[in-house]
């Protein structure tokens, strides 16, 4: 296998290195909010999931949700983080209409976890496998939503506080990524990990996963390395947008540096938003007091101690992580790393389906091929999930066994697959519908003999060394009996020709 | 210590308090007097003292993850200075930032 | 009549709750235009509650702890759908959609909520003069301040409008007005009484407590309102002794520490003499009086004003004109809305404290102020722990002076803050403290004696106070 080039290795290697760190907020899959019993269900009518606590009403007090701790610990341990014995809650003070208390309860100097990593790699080898450091992952409460809509004749902003207080885990990476492809791989792997662990549903459309990126360049010039000002990029609503925004920003920063020569520390930190329509970033007005959040310990809450036995319990309960799963699938079912990657990246239900098919059929590679090509394509075309897919794992395994046994050729097998899907039929019923019956050896011999009798020229050609001449007869055989296996026809024809004088 | 008037105004800005120049000067004088008094804390050597934020020495107050009834929307919005039955209403966020 | 006497009279059938409530309403009607203790009176609600309780009593149904006893509530404890103003223009029309835990407990105990009492705005003050809504006067001398911040709750008990009331104490806001008004007031151990539904001033210091004329009545109320509350993370799961179980029993081998630092200058001479006499009285009752030191006492006020204002700057950020409370009409943008609503809604003292707290937490000052104060807070708590190795409780004045004149200290915030010197320490240390009357000065103004005990020794403290009240009569004297 040849090593593919990374972006920076290409012919016109740019004179800089890209430095990217990501801040990812994920909503944890709790039933109730972080500090009160209101539901976290997405999509309820505005302001119907609030109470005095999440409304920040005077006198209301927060009480911590134990499941949020459980999920945060699960995520943190899966990200190889340390969980300290003591963690606490701090207030981050700022005014915003979606923040009714005037402060967000977050974690400042004693987060629930820190110092971890997430391993990323690329199955197409576009970059070298690496570990991206996790600086910290801390818990905090989400804010509400502000909507500005002038269409209903009012210039007011509408505030919906349903989301206020939903538990968020903020996962801060080290600036360890050096290309947008690595950033995307990190995000993809992180999302996969958190969904495998059922920590979050990581749905970007519903806002349960949000990404901010910090990016700058290290430029080598005259024997020294110059760092350009770090830019925080926001408003990216898909991983694709993250990739494009980072690519855009890298080019913009290099051009800006060539123009103004400004280095890190010479300007205040800038925030830029990503405009998906225009495919460019734009400078956002910095909040005047954004640099002074006046963090201090929240006196309404008390610290949380986490015993080592708790940590061990949560650690033990963590299931197989995607990276481990890929390795196991590769080994157990003897499939290539690429296949394992594709299957694992589909999520746990597809993996379960694959394992069932591979075990039943005893043919991992064929199972992998069928799932990657036919099953995933069909799911995609029909916008289905694997749970909604009508062909059971047993039926797909049975189909693969027939192919293995030579009872079905791949073209016929695909017809059968299609009928099993379209008509929601079991394997046998689908075959019956297609009129597929087994062709026994006598039948096959009779057919071959009759074709040879009718085509002496083919016999002569083969005898003259042109074996491919039998190809013409295979087509005729299929016409006479669509159930015959072309491979078997071919080999039988050659055997029978050899017997003739 | 001497608080300057700029600092007083900056703090008022952080606290979202609109203060006149007269008030700013009054705060400067009063807060300077209070801070002068408070600064005697510097006399104490607290190098090896742990800060005490939770006087009750309690840890781990947790609730189970169960959903409890939310307020009816009417009750949730009953104290809103302005609302439309569904939402709280506030002047536009962005206009203020463009000021 | 005390609450205990009222309960006995209702039990004996010599009076009814309705009669008692009517009596209270008549006193309020007659006196409160001069005193100004109440912001609102729940005349109809109180009478109908009283009648219902009377009916239950006459039906022979089970009777609970405060059945039919009238009580007044400081206006920063939430009562569902009733205006809870906190003495502020900001919340002049604010109606919480829920009851505070203590209100639920009082209702469950069949107490009759008579009305809401005046206070310094958001409990920030020591004279009740910072109320944006009303001026409250001291029943002993209407030219004097009733103390604060729970001035209304103290004045209404002192003027016999109600037998008991609830106040809150963040740095002395129960004990100092109790002292100024010649009644008894208890700040319980931090965490004994749920803060759920108490509008926060400084969360790590705030505690709800009762006012009454006797330690016995304080004990009656404490036993109703104390207890763990799952809705308040800082509420202690440690169950204290029911204080009424200790009352009437004489404490054995009582050792009382006289705080040396309170004997120094700066205390009005009538006050130090009264404390000295009280020590002698305790000694006569068999207590051993020893001198103990609280070496960091002089740092209490500074520590307190840093911790309290930092917490307050956060707690009061929610009053922004956007979500509830006062909204300015003079704002078109959001930034203006915040600034004008807060500037119009808050009074000078509240702004001053928000400014101080904001400054102390701002970039570059956190370590010098907030963190430093938290460290000194530990030193102060350690002082108490050391002292309570040697003695059961500490004795000293509640306030360096008797009630000062209205207007006397409003222009000098620091002087006002310094008058909290003896009360702030108990809040910083989280320990229980009580103020009881122990004499009068030359102007016939009451003097308060403060007893402080170790955390969770609320019952023992009340027992000690009851011992004193059993042999003295300062607490039964009433203003003319």
């Amino acid at each position: 296998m040849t090593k593919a080039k990374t972006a920076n290795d290409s012919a016109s290697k740019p004179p800089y290195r890209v430095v990217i760190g990501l801040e990812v907020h994920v909503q944890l899959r709790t039933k109730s909010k972080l500090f009160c019993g209101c539901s976290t269900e997405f999509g309820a009518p505005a302001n119907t999931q609030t109470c005095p606590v999440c409304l920040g009403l005077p006198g209301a007090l927060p009480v911590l949700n134990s499941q949020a701790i459980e999920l945060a610990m699960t995520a943190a341990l899966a990200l190889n983080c340390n969980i300290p014995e003591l963690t606490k809650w701090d207030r981050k003070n700022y005014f915003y209409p979606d923040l009714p208390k005037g402060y967000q309860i977050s974690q400042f100097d004693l987060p629930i976890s820190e110092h971890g990593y997430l391993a990323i790699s690329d199955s197409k080898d576009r970059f070298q496998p690496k570990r991206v450091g996790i600086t910290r992952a801390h818990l905090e409460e989400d804010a509400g939503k502000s909507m500005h809509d002038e269409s209903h004749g009012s210039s007011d902003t509408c505030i919906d506080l349903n989301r206020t207080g939903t538990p968020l885990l903020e996962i801060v990476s080290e600036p360890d990524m050096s290309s947008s492809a690595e950033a995307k791989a990190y995000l993809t792997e992180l999302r996969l990990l958190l969904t495998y662990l059922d920590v979050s549903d990581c749905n970007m459309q519903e806002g349960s996963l949000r990404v901010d990126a910090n990016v700058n360049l290290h430029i080598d010039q005259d024997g020294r390395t110059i760092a350009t000002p770090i830019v925080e990029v926001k408003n990216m609503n898909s991983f694709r947008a993250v990739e494009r925004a980072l690519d855009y920003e890298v080019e913009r920063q290099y051009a800006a540096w060539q123009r103004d020569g400004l280095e890190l520390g010479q300007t205040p930190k800038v925030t830029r938003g990503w405009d998906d329509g225009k495919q460019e970033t734009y400078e956002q007005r910095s909040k005047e007091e954004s640099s002074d959040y006046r963090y201090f310990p929240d006196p309404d809450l008390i610290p949380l101690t986490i015993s080592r036995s708790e940590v061990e319990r949560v650690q033990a309960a963590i299931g197989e992580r995607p990276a481990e799963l890929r390795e196991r699938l590769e080994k157990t079912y003897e499939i290539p790393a690429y296949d394992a990657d594709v299957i694992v990246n589909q999520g746990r239900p597809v993996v379960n389906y694959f394992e069932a098919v591979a075990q039943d059929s005893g043919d991992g590679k064929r199972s992998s091929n069928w799932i990657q090509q036919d099953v995933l394509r069909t799911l995609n075309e029909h916008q289905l999930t694997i749970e909604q897919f009508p062909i059971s794992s047993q039926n797909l395994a049975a189909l693969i066994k027939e192919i293995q046994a030579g009872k079905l050729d791949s073209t016929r097998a695909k017809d059968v697959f299609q009928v099993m899907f379209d008509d929601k039929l079991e394997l046998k019923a689908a075959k019956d519908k297609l009129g597929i019956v087994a062709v026994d050896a006598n039948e096959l011999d009779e057919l071959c003999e009759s074709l040879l009798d009718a085509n002496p020229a083919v016999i002569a050609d083969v005898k003259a060394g042109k074996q491919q001449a039998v190809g013409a007869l295979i087509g005729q055989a299929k016409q006479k009996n669509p159930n015959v296996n072309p491979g078997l026809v071919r080999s039988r024809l050659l055997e029978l020709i050899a017997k003739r004088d | 210590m001497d608080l300057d008037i700029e600092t007083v105004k900056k703090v008022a800005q952080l606290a979202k308090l609109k203060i006149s120049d007269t008030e700013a000067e009054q705060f400067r004088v009063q807060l300077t007097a209070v801070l002068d008094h408070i600064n005697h804390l510097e006399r104490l050597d607290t190098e090896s003292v742990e800060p005490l934020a939770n006087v009750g020495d309690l840890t781990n107050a947790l609730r189970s993850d169960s959903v409890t009834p939310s307020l009816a929307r009417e009750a949730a919005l009953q104290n809103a200075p302005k609302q439309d039955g569904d939402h709280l209403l506030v002047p536009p966020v962005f206009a203020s930032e463009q000021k | 009549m005390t609450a205990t006497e009222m309960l006995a009279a209702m039990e004996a059938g010599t009076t009814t709750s309705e009669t008692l409530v009517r009596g209270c309403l008549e006193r309020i009607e007659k006196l409160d235009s001069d005193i100004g203790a109440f912001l609102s009176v729940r005349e109809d609600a109180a009478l109908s509650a009283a009648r219902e309780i009377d009916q239950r009593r006459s039906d022979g149904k089970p009777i609970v702890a405060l059945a039919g006893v009238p009580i007044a509530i400081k206006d920063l404890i939430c009562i569902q759908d009733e205006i809870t103003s906190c003495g502020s223009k900001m919340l002049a029309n604010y109606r919480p959609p829920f009851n505070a835990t203590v209100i639920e407990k009082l209702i469950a105990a069949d107490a009759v909520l008579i009305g809401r009492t005046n206070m310094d705005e958001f409990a920030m003050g020591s004279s009740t003069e910072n109320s944006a809504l009303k001026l409250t006067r001291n029943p002993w001398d209407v030219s004097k301040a009733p103390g604060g911040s729970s001035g209304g709750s103290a004045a209404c008990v002192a003027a016999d409008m109600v037998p008991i009331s609830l106040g809150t104490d963040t740095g002395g806001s129960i004990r100092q007005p109790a002292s100024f008004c010649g009644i008894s007031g208890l700040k319980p151990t931090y965490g004994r009484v749920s803060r759920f539904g108490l509008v926060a001033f400084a969360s790590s210091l705030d505690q709800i407590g009762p006012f009454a004329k006797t330690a016995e009545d304080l004990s009656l109320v404490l036993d109703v309102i104390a207890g763990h509350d799952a809705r308040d993370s800082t509420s202690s799961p440690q169950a204290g002794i029911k204080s009424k179980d200790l009352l009437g029993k004489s404490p054995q081998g009582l050792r009382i520490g006289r705080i040396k630092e309170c004997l120094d200058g700066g205390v009005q001479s009538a006050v130090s003499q009264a404390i000295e006499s009280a020590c002698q009285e305790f000694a006569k009752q068999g207590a051993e009086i020893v001198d103990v030191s609280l070496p960091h006492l002089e740092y209490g006020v500074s520590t307190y004003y840093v911790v309290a204002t930092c917490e307050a700057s956060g707690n009061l950020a929610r009053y922004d004109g956007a979500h509830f409370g006062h909204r300015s009409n003079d704002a078109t943008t959001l930034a203006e809305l915040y600034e004008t609503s807060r500037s119009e809604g808050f009074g000078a003292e509240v702004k001053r404290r928000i400014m101080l707290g904001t400054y102390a937490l701002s970039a570059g000052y956190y370590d010098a102020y907030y963190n430093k104060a938290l460290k000194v807070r530990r030193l102060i708590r350690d002082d108490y722990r050391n002292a309570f190795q040697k003695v059961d409780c500490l004795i000293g004045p509640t306030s360096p002076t008797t009630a000062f004149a209205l207007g006397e200290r409003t222009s000098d915030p620091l002087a006002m803050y310094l008058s909290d010197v003896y009360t702030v320490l108990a809040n910083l240390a989280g320990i229980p403290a009580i103020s009881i009357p122990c004499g009068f000065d030359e102007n016939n103004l009451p003097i308060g004696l403060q007893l402080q005990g170790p955390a969770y020794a609320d019952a023992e403290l009340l027992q000690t106070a009851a011992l004193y009240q059993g042999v003295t009569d300062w607490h039964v004297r009433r203003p003319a």
Side-chain angles (χ1 to χ4, degrees):
Chain A
M1 191 162 56
T2 55
K3 190 132 283 174
K5 287 176 169 153
T6 67
N8 287 3
D9 283 335
S10 60
S12 57
K13 181 178 169 173
Y16 53 76
R17 274 160 293 132
V18 179
V19 181
I20 298 167
L22 296 175
E23 286 174 22
V24 177
H25 286 85
V26 292
Q27 286 182 347
L28 298 180
R29 286 193 59 172
T30 54
K31 295 194 219 49
S32 64
K33 293 183 180 180
L34 185 52
F35 295 113
C36 66
C38 289
S39 169
T40 55
E41 191 78 36
F42 180 81
N47 295 304
T48 57
Q49 287 174 180
T50 67
C51 72
V53 177
C54 57
L55 289 172
L57 295 185
L61 295 171
V63 184
L64 184 59
N65 182 340
S66 55
Q67 181 64 10
I69 298 300
E70 185 86 11
L71 294 179
M73 285 174 68
T74 302
L77 291 170
L79 289 167
N80 310 293
C81 288
N82 294 331
I83 294 184
E85 291 188 27
L86 184 83
T87 182
K88 71 174 174 76
W89 308 95
D90 301 282
R91 292 182 180 179
K92 179 180 181 180
N93 297 285
Y94 65 96
F95 288 86
Y96 211 71
D98 61 14
L99 189 71
K101 294 192 299 296
Y103 58 84
Q104 178 191 33
I105 304 175
S106 181
Q107 299 197 289
F108 184 55
D109 56 339
L110 293 174
I112 189 162
S113 69
E114 49 191 353
H115 309 315
Y117 66 86
L118 179 64
I120 56 167
S121 59
D122 185 56
S123 56
K124 291 180 185 147
D125 280 337
R126 281 167 303 192
F127 58 83
Q128 294 291 311
K130 63 154 64 171
R131 283 180 174 185
V132 175
I134 306 288
T135 315
R136 56 188 276 157
H138 70 254
L139 270 165
E140 60 186 28
E141 52 177 359
D142 207 346
K145 285 182 189 163
S146 344
M147 290 143 289
H148 198 67
D149 175 15
E150 293 192 8
S151 64
H152 64 23
S154 156
S155 64
D156 282 327
T157 294
C158 298
I159 309 295
D160 171 11
L161 297 175
N162 282 350
R163 197 178 71 178
T164 310
T166 299
L168 287 180
L169 189 68
E170 179 175 341
I171 303 162
V172 182
S173 88
E174 292 288 314
D176 285 350
M177 287 155 280
S178 49
S179 67
S180 62
E182 287 183 12
K184 191 181 175 194
Y186 170 84
L187 292 171
T188 308
E189 189 66 10
L190 183 63
R191 177 171 64 186
L192 197 63
L193 177 65
L194 299 178
T195 48
Y196 264 91
L197 300 175
D198 224 10
V199 161
S200 171
D201 56 23
C202 293
N203 184 332
M204 273 187 113
Q205 271 66 49
E206 293 182 0
S208 61
L209 185 150
R210 286 164 248 161
V211 184
D212 298 331
N214 283 291
V215 55
N216 74 337
L217 308 177
H218 286 181
I219 302 168
D220 289 319
Q221 195 190 44
D222 306 332
R224 77 178 185 109
T225 302
I226 297 161
T228 60
I230 296 174
V231 170
E232 182 169 7
V233 188
K234 291 179 173 284
N235 300 355
M236 299 169 291
N237 52 17
S238 67
F239 290 175
R240 195 182 173 81
V242 173
E243 214 176 359
R244 291 186 172 174
L246 288 170
D247 287 338
Y248 177 88
E249 193 53 30
V250 164
E251 285 185 27
R252 192 197 63 77
Q253 284 188 25
Y254 189 59
W257 177 77
Q258 284 179 313
R259 202 169 51 244
D260 60 26
L262 283 176
E263 298 181 21
L264 182 62
Q266 293 174 343
T267 65
K269 188 175 164 181
V270 172
T271 300
R272 297 180 70 89
W274 171 246
D275 185 329
D276 214 41
K278 292 185 184 156
Q279 295 280 299
E280 60 186 36
T281 62
Y282 59 94
E283 183 159 353
Q284 290 185 324
R285 189 163 289 270
S286 57
K287 287 179 203 157
E288 290 157 28
E289 68 275 22
S290 61
S291 56
D292 202 347
Y293 289 122
R294 289 159 286 135
Y295 282 99
F296 74 100
D298 191 327
D300 286 332
L301 289 160
I302 54 176
L304 181 76
T305 57
I306 301 172
S307 70
R308 296 307 90 184
S309 59
E310 270 299 275
V311 172
E312 279 161 27
R313 181 186 61 75
V314 175
Q315 181 88 62
I318 291 177
E320 213 170 12
R321 293 181 280 184
E324 294 150 356
L325 184 54
R326 284 188 193 99
E327 227 170 273
R328 182 170 66 78
L329 295 188
E330 226 183 296
K331 284 204 187 111
T332 312
Y333 302 104
E334 296 173 322
I335 57 172
Y338 178 85
D339 287 27
D341 191 54
V342 171
I343 291 167
V344 169
N345 289 1
Q346 295 301 316
R348 180 69 77 182
V350 170
V351 172
N352 293 344
Y353 186 84
F354 164 74
E355 290 206 76
V357 175
Q359 280 162 16
D360 277 6
S361 69
D363 188 341
K365 180 59 188 156
R366 224 178 225 124
S367 302
S368 163
N369 288 349
W370 271 87
I371 287 169
Q372 285 184 67
Q373 288 156 26
D374 303 272
V375 176
L376 294 182
R377 178 182 46 76
T378 310
L379 293 179
N380 196 33
E381 277 171 15
H382 296 268
Q383 291 293 299
L384 295 175
T385 65
I386 193 74
E387 290 93 339
Q388 298 164 319
F389 189 60
I391 304 178
S392 70
S393 59
Q394 293 93 324
N395 270 305
L396 183 58
L399 181 66
I400 289 169
K401 274 189 189 162
E402 300 246 312
I403 302 165
Q404 264 178 325
K407 292 182 188 164
L408 278 176
D409 66 81
S410 60
T411 318
R412 286 304 264 165
K414 289 197 193 285
D415 293 341
V416 174
F417 180 89
Q418 198 58 44
V419 170
M420 285 163 78
F421 176 77
D422 289 339
D423 301 338
K424 301 187 169 44
L425 293 178
E426 306 266 302
L427 175 65
K428 176 151 187 326
K431 279 168 68 184
D432 288 349
K433 187 171 182 202
L434 287 168
I436 296 175
V437 287
V439 179
D440 68 25
N442 283 340
E443 245 181 296
L444 182 65
D445 279 3
E446 266 173 41
L447 178 64
C448 289
E449 294 286 10
S450 74
L451 285 169
L452 289 175
D453 290 346
N455 295 281
V458 172
I459 301 172
D461 283 351
V462 172
K463 293 233 174 227
K466 288 166 72 181
Q467 290 214 344
Q468 65 271 34
V470 294
L473 300 186
I474 296 170
Q476 290 182 38
K478 287 271 309 176
Q479 273 173 8
K480 287 185 189 265
N481 184 348
N483 295 328
V484 293
N485 183 315
L488 287 179
V489 172
R490 181 188 161 86
S491 54
R492 196 59 194 145
L493 282 170
L494 291 175
E495 281 167 24
L496 291 172
I497 289 169
K499 282 186 190 165
R500 291 194 181 202
D501 288 314
Chain B
M1 82 165 289
D2 253 358
L3 263 186
D4 60 47
I5 204 82
E6 285 316 305
T7 307
V8 171
K9 286 182 174 173
K10 204 192 106 206
V11 171
Q13 172 87 46
L14 264 180
K16 294 273 185 269
L17 292 169
K18 185 179 183 173
I19 55 170
S20 66
D21 286 351
T22 324
E23 280 174 299
E25 176 56 21
Q26 202 180 7
F27 279 136
R28 191 190 66 75
V29 172
Q30 290 168 336
L31 293 178
T32 298
V34 174
L35 287 169
D36 276 343
H37 180 79
I38 286 171
N39 283 331
H40 74 149
L41 293 179
E42 283 170 19
R43 295 206 298 259
L44 290 170
D45 178 6
T46 53
E47 191 61 38
S48 57
V49 181
E50 275 296 300
L52 176 66
N54 290 88
V55 77
D57 287 330
L58 300 173
T59 57
N60 299 31
L62 293 153
R63 45 175 272 275
S64 67
D65 182 26
S66 48
V67 174
T68 53
S70 291
L71 287 172
R73 177 151 61 190
E74 203 179 28
L77 296 175
Q78 78 183 20
N79 287 292
K82 192 174 180 188
Q83 46 123 333
D84 65 5
D86 296 323
H87 299 97
L88 282 154
L89 298 177
V90 298
V93 173
F94 291 108
S96 69
E97 290 186 347
Q98 281 157 9
K99 200 173 69 158
Chain C
M1 245 198 283
T2 66
T4 306
E5 288 162 358
M6 285 181 175
L7 283 165
M10 285 186 280
E11 190 58 34
T14 56
T15 190
T16 63
S17 177
E18 186 179 356
T19 309
L20 294 169
V21 168
R22 281 195 193 284
C24 290
L25 293 171
E26 279 160 25
R27 287 284 291 178
I28 294 168
E29 177 71 26
K30 184 173 151 214
L31 297 172
D32 207 42
S33 51
D34 288 336
I35 304 298
F38 282 91
L39 289 172
S40 63
V41 179
R42 304 170 79 248
E43 191 170 334
D44 295 340
L47 281 170
S48 84
R51 280 191 289 263
E52 202 190 306
I53 294 158
D54 285 337
Q55 187 61 50
R56 255 182 281 156
R57 201 183 274 276
S58 65
D59 290 349
K61 298 225 171 103
I63 292 305
V64 282
L66 289 172
V69 177
I71 185 168
I73 310 292
K74 189 177 182 179
D75 206 30
L76 84 171
I77 298 172
C78 293
I79 299 184
Q80 185 166 349
D81 296 328
E82 295 188 16
I83 286 175
T84 300
S85 75
C86 305
S88 181
K89 259 177 77 177
M90 185 60 89
L91 294 179
N93 295 306
Y94 174 75
R95 293 175 191 269
F98 65 103
N99 275 326
T101 296
V102 291
I103 296 299
E104 285 180 354
K105 285 174 177 271
L106 287 176
I107 291 171
D110 275 345
V112 178
L113 313 182
I114 282 279
R116 313 304 302 269
T117 59
N118 196 22
M119 55 183 283
D120 283 303
E121 183 176 8
F122 288 105
M124 296 180 184
S126 311
S127 68
T128 312
E129 290 166 288
N130 294 328
S131 170
L133 307 173
K134 200 167 197 170
L135 182 69
T136 301
R137 296 172 182 277
N138 191 317
W140 291 89
D141 177 345
V142 291
S143 73
K144 305 287 184 192
S149 66
S150 312
S153 285
C156 67
V157 172
D160 257 334
M161 299 181 209
V162 283
I164 50 177
S165 64
L166 286 191
T168 65
D169 191 316
T170 306
S173 285
I174 289 173
R175 291 159 287 156
Q176 185 254 23
S179 166
F180 280 18
C181 292
I183 60 169
S184 305
L186 172 72
K187 181 206 92 75
T189 301
Y190 184 79
R192 280 300 304 277
V193 180
S194 170
R195 294 187 298 112
F196 188 83
L198 157 63
V199 179
F201 158 18
S203 314
S204 80
L205 303 162
D206 294 341
Q207 198 54 194
I208 296 172
F211 286 99
K213 291 183 197 97
T214 63
E216 187 179 27
D217 273 9
L218 291 179
S219 141
L220 184 66
V221 181
L222 179 67
D223 286 349
V224 168
I225 62 173
H228 180 245
D229 181 8
R231 293 184 293 183
D232 174 0
S233 305
T234 63
S235 163
S236 173
Q238 187 171 337
I241 309 168
K242 281 278 179 193
S243 57
K244 73 164 193 286
D245 295 346
L246 284 184
L247 289 179
K249 294 177 194 156
S250 236
Q252 296 301 308
L254 184 65
R255 287 169 66 88
I256 298 178
R258 183 166 41 196
I259 305 167
K260 271 196 264 182
E261 287 75 9
C262 300
L263 308 173
D264 303 345
V267 181
Q268 192 181 318
S269 63
V271 173
S272 41
Q273 282 163 26
I275 301 302
E276 205 38 53
S277 310
C279 288
Q280 286 164 19
E281 189 59 53
F282 273 115
K284 251 202 299 191
Q285 300 307 315
E288 186 184 346
I289 309 292
V290 293
D291 283 347
V292 296
S293 175
L294 296 176
H296 298 95
L297 181 138
E298 63 170 308
Y299 301 100
V301 169
S302 297
T303 304
Y304 171 80
Y305 276 92
V306 173
V307 173
T309 59
C310 286
E311 292 183 13
S313 74
N315 284 333
L316 273 67
R318 68 194 68 204
Y319 310 108
D320 60 4
H323 303 96
F324 39 76
H326 174 74
R327 177 181 287 195
S328 171
N329 292 322
D330 297 338
T332 52
T333 68
L334 186 70
E336 283 169 9
L337 180 89
Y338 287 151
E339 293 191 354
T340 51
S341 300
R342 286 167 68 77
S343 294
E344 292 167 7
F346 290 142
E349 181 60 26
V350 172
K351 288 183 201 172
R352 197 150 40 231
R353 295 198 191 189
I354 291 174
M355 292 281 291
L356 182 58
T358 304
Y359 175 74
L361 287 173
S362 66
Y365 295 101
Y366 181 89
D367 282 328
Y369 292 110
Y370 186 70
N371 211 40
K372 181 80 181 184
L374 292 187
K375 289 175 165 202
V376 181
R377 185 175 189 179
R378 181 175 297 277
L379 296 177
I380 289 168
R381 190 180 68 169
D382 290 349
D383 283 356
Y384 277 106
R385 287 191 169 174
N386 293 335
F388 292 130
Q389 298 285 321
K390 302 182 202 107
V391 296
D392 300 306
C393 68
L394 294 170
I395 192 168
T398 305
S399 171
T401 66
T402 54
F404 48 79
L406 287 164
E408 187 185 314
R409 297 188 184 177
T410 45
S411 60
D412 186 353
L414 182 59
M416 191 76 97
Y417 298 171
L418 290 172
S419 65
D420 300 335
V421 58
Y422 302 134
T423 48
V424 293
L425 297 163
N427 302 80
L428 289 167
I431 58 168
I434 185 172
S435 178
I436 51 175
C438 68
F440 290 84
D441 72 0
E442 56 282 11
N443 297 315
N444 199 36
L445 290 171
I447 297 167
L449 158 74
Q450 178 174 235
L451 296 170
Q452 303 175 81
Y456 302 102
D458 309 61
E460 290 82 348
L461 211 53
L462 287 165
Q463 184 189 25
T464 305
L467 169 76
Y468 181 77
Q469 291 183 338
V471 293
T472 57
D473 68 350
W474 307 111
H475 62 289
V476 298
R477 303 199 192 177
R478 297 270 64 87

